[in-house]
Amino acid sequence: MFAGMNTGVAPSLAPHHMALIPPERLAEIQKEYFAEFAHLATNPESIEVKDRRFSGKAWHSSWSKMIAATYLLNSKHLLALAKAVDADEKTKVKILFTTEQMIDALSPSNFIATNPEVLENIISSQGQSIQNGIVNLLGDLKKGKVSLTDESAFEVGKNIATTEGQVVFRNDLFELIQYTPLTDTVYERPYLMVPPCINKYYILDLQPDNSVVRYMVEQGHTVFLVSWKNPDASMSKVTWDDYVGEGVIKAIEVTREIGATDQINVLGFCVGGTLTSTALAVLAARKKDYVASLTLLTTLLDFTDTGILDVFIDEGMVKLRESTIGGEGGHFGMMSGLDLGNTFSFLRPNDLVWNYVVENYLKGNSPPPFDLLYWNGDSTNLPGPMYCWYLRHTYLQNELIKPGKLTVCGDKVDLGKITVPAYIYASHDDHIVPWKSAYESTHILKGKNRFVLGASGHIAGVINPPAKNKRHYFENNKLAKTADEWLAAAKDIKGSWWPNYAQWLEQFGGKKIKASKTFGNAQYKKLEVAPGKYVKEKVSTAAQ
């Protein structure tokens, strides 16, 4: 299919896909290709390669530039063929995604024979680079993943996840951490953070200078945080209802009781936001007014457009998971954290896969330490029933936004019953939670909502501390009917969105009181120092 990627032969799709391309469009693409290839072949001196994979000096020779330019030309027209396929939207997205994956995999930079930088390294190191690369490859084969960072440089509780606090509650699903105040006075209402149960909580507490947790403590909030357990075989029957009831709702209740307040403020991040919103809908059905404000970071409630993740999810895939790990026919199991992590990496293959294949294996280099990538590789399993419920009722059938359609923890779910003020944040370049889909939450939730759009992607957009003065965000306090209309009238503001959020949250904190030096209360006593034990459990020790 891609035999011509490095040779200049005209690109092609599989025959059955070619048959789906309108003949006139196919002829147009082929004509454009041969014209551009002829120009390339007859004017090699005019070649200008603008791609960071081929930016090194070794790629500047005529032969190497021709290889790179031919590959890029073939890639361009393969994508044109994929986009021209006449099919339903989901099929077109799948064809395009598969084509992009194969194009990226077959880059000449990924092969020894066609990467001049690799060849130079082999010669200059007298073969040591290849030997090092083999050692790196064998190590990664044992781990089941490509190493993105020097994992030996980090230890949870030592140089990441170091904000001081105490575990004040633990059940089979989560530990609740209460953080040490850093101000003399605090807001009377506690602040609860619910991170995603995919990966570990400490994306919110990496280093002191980029910790969301520490920043919120510094703003005068008594911060509590859910640290999810890394599921093992004993949790193979745990459900979505369990994560909502014994997870989020229990965390809200314990936080209220320790804080001795009627209401608290709650934040949910990614799937943690979906769980939190579901929990608030259950509490609304029970007439429990426990929450003063809701914050959602890069969260989907309306799953109409789930971006590139839609490629992986269809009825056949969900049925397969349900019958193997989801409980159908008595078959329970785990969704492997390693498999989940590898899948997410291939959503950005050049950045999170092939770049490291070239550096680690072909060049024999060791990746440098990077806290965010260490977190990215610290995977967690998911219980099969919980995972399958999530896939079917949100991604596949989008039932969470249908009032009364779903029953969770014994109550009908209606997100429209959530009337507390909500701060809804999305990231402009998010490939996991498309920002326009996140914007739809402003129509679903019925309180006084504020929407803020940050720059960058799913994680980098969120973890943007003010001190670094990086990136920018868009603010428009007047909501519009569509996301595009909102953005058209929004103000572009340089720097971090965190101060904007902190200012918004102030109004829901209640009065200021003297900061307490004690943790928990008579019922919930401190169990051990933060970050606790659940966050230290590795996926390799859990059942796969």
Side-chain angles (χ1 to χ4, degrees):
M1 177 177 170
F2 283 87
M5 288 298 290
N6 292 328
T7 63
V9 177
S12 63
L13 288 173
H16 61 285
H17 289 150
M18 293 287 283
L20 296 175
I21 299 175
E24 64 278 4
R25 179 60 184 141
L26 178 59
E28 182 182 346
I29 293 171
Q30 290 176 332
K31 182 180 178 181
E32 290 175 357
Y33 173 80
F34 285 117
E36 291 186 39
F37 183 74
H39 177 76
L40 193 67
T42 55
N43 299 278
E45 71 284 347
S46 67
I47 295 174
E48 186 178 3
V49 177
K50 295 182 179 179
D51 189 299
R52 65 183 179 86
R53 289 172 292 179
F54 315 117
S55 60
K57 288 183 179 179
W59 288 97
H60 292 176
S61 71
S62 297
W63 174 244
S64 295
K65 280 204 296 185
M66 178 60 79
I67 290 175
T70 303
Y71 162 77
L72 293 172
L73 175 62
N74 285 340
S75 300
K76 173 185 173 181
H77 289 278
L78 274 167
L79 289 174
L81 288 169
K83 292 174 181 177
V85 170
D86 189 8
D88 65 89
E89 191 59 33
K90 186 150 188 168
T91 300
K92 289 173 71 173
V93 170
K94 285 185 175 182
I95 291 172
L96 182 59
F97 178 79
T98 303
T99 303
E100 289 173 337
Q101 291 289 318
M102 297 186 74
I103 286 172
D104 292 341
L106 289 167
S107 167
S109 59
N110 297 341
F111 300 91
I112 293 175
T114 50
N115 189 324
E117 293 179 316
V118 171
L119 294 172
E120 283 187 1
N121 277 5
I122 294 173
I123 295 170
S124 63
S125 69
Q126 296 182 322
Q128 186 63 45
S129 61
I130 285 294
Q131 184 176 332
N132 293 344
I134 292 172
V135 171
N136 290 341
L137 174 60
L138 293 175
D140 282 356
L141 287 173
K142 288 181 181 179
K143 292 190 290 186
K145 62 180 181 180
V146 177
S147 293
L148 307 184
T149 185
D150 178 5
E151 296 184 1
S152 67
F154 299 101
E155 184 179 346
V156 173
K158 296 294 185 182
N159 56 358
I160 47 175
T162 59
T163 301
E164 292 183 359
Q166 294 280 338
V167 174
V168 293
F169 174 83
R170 178 187 295 127
N171 64 13
D172 292 339
L173 267 183
F174 73 96
E175 292 178 326
L176 186 67
I177 300 172
Q178 179 181 355
Y179 289 97
T180 306
L182 294 174
T183 53
D184 294 333
T185 61
V186 296
Y187 294 101
E188 65 176 333
R189 284 186 183 135
Y191 176 77
L192 174 65
M193 306 177 87
V194 183
C197 48
I198 303 172
N199 289 99
K200 305 290 183 64
Y201 85 78
Y202 62 86
I203 186 59
L204 295 170
D205 188 30
L206 289 168
Q207 309 273 353
D209 64 350
N210 64 358
S211 168
V212 182
V213 170
R214 185 177 181 86
Y215 179 80
M216 297 310 296
V217 174
E218 290 173 339
Q219 304 312 303
H221 296 281
T222 301
V223 176
F224 291 76
L225 182 142
V226 170
S227 174
W228 297 106
K229 181 174 174 59
N230 196 347
D232 55 25
S234 69
M235 296 176 62
S236 63
K237 295 184 179 180
V238 171
T239 65
W240 180 267
D241 282 28
D242 293 328
Y243 271 81
V244 172
E246 295 305 311
V248 180
I249 291 177
K250 186 63 177 178
I252 290 172
E253 290 173 343
V254 174
T255 301
R256 282 180 70 247
E257 291 170 31
I258 293 175
T261 57
D262 291 335
Q263 291 185 317
I264 67 172
N265 295 301
V266 181
L267 174 146
F269 183 8
C270 190
V271 66
T274 310
L275 285 166
T276 299
S277 299
T278 307
L280 264 58
V282 170
L283 289 174
R286 298 174 180 176
K287 309 293 190 214
K288 302 291 188 182
D289 189 20
Y290 289 168
V291 173
S293 75
L294 170 65
T295 302
L296 297 179
L297 306 183
T298 62
T299 293
L300 283 174
L301 299 181
D302 184 341
F303 288 74
T304 301
D305 177 12
T306 59
I308 197 62
L309 286 179
D310 189 54
V311 168
F312 299 98
I313 302 169
D314 56 28
E315 179 65 31
M317 176 269 195
V318 175
K319 287 289 290 182
L320 175 64
R321 294 297 186 187
E322 289 171 336
S323 64
T324 53
I325 63 172
E328 280 193 6
H331 299 291
F332 294 91
M334 287 286 146
M335 181 61 210
S336 163
L338 288 173
D339 290 347
L340 276 173
N342 289 334
T343 297
F344 279 111
S345 290
F346 273 99
L347 297 179
R348 293 169 53 204
N350 283 332
D351 292 333
L352 296 178
V353 180
W354 300 116
N355 174 51
Y356 293 94
V357 167
V358 173
E359 291 296 321
N360 299 2
Y361 309 152
L362 301 189
K363 295 183 180 180
N365 297 325
S366 296
F370 186 12
D371 56 2
L372 197 153
L373 291 180
Y374 177 82
W375 166 85
N376 188 68
D378 194 2
S379 303
T380 56
N381 296 319
L382 290 176
M386 176 270 190
Y387 177 66
C388 291
W389 191 99
Y390 180 45
L391 289 183
R392 175 165 293 284
H393 295 292
T394 60
Y395 280 94
L396 189 63
Q397 296 174 183
N398 195 22
E399 293 172 331
L400 197 56
I401 61 169
K402 300 173 183 176
K405 177 67 176 178
L406 298 175
T407 299
V408 178
C409 299
D411 291 285
K412 296 286 187 181
V413 172
D414 182 357
L415 297 179
K417 296 287 181 64
I418 301 174
T419 58
V420 298
Y423 187 102
I424 301 164
Y425 168 87
S427 293
H428 186 272
D429 300 325
D430 195 336
H431 60 291
I432 296 173
V433 177
W435 79 268
K436 292 181 183 180
S437 297
Y439 183 81
E440 291 305 307
S441 297
T442 64
H443 302 311
I444 297 167
L445 304 175
K446 299 306 180 184
K448 185 176 181 181
N449 302 321
R450 175 182 290 192
F451 184 81
V452 170
L453 179 63
S456 197
H458 189 68
I459 298 300
V462 173
I463 311 305
N464 184 22
K468 295 187 177 181
N469 197 30
K470 293 175 65 177
R471 306 187 184 96
H472 61 102
Y473 67 96
F474 295 95
E475 181 187 30
N476 177 4
N477 294 335
K478 185 177 181 181
L479 297 177
K481 185 176 181 180
T482 69
D484 287 329
E485 290 174 8
W486 177 91
L487 182 58
K491 183 180 179 182
D492 189 348
I493 303 172
K494 181 176 173 54
S496 169
W497 59 274
W498 291 12
N500 177 284
Y501 171 58
Q503 184 179 22
W504 176 86
L505 189 62
E506 282 180 5
Q507 61 190 307
F508 308 109
K511 68 177 184 290
K512 285 289 192 76
I513 59 175
K514 183 176 176 57
S516 173
K517 295 181 180 180
T518 61
F519 294 88
N521 60 13
Q523 182 178 0
Y524 302 108
K525 301 182 185 301
K526 62 183 182 181
L527 303 177
E528 65 178 282
V529 297
K533 67 177 185 179
Y534 282 175
V535 72
K536 296 177 182 178
E537 295 173 345
K538 295 292 184 181
V539 75
S540 57
T541 64
Q544 296 296 298

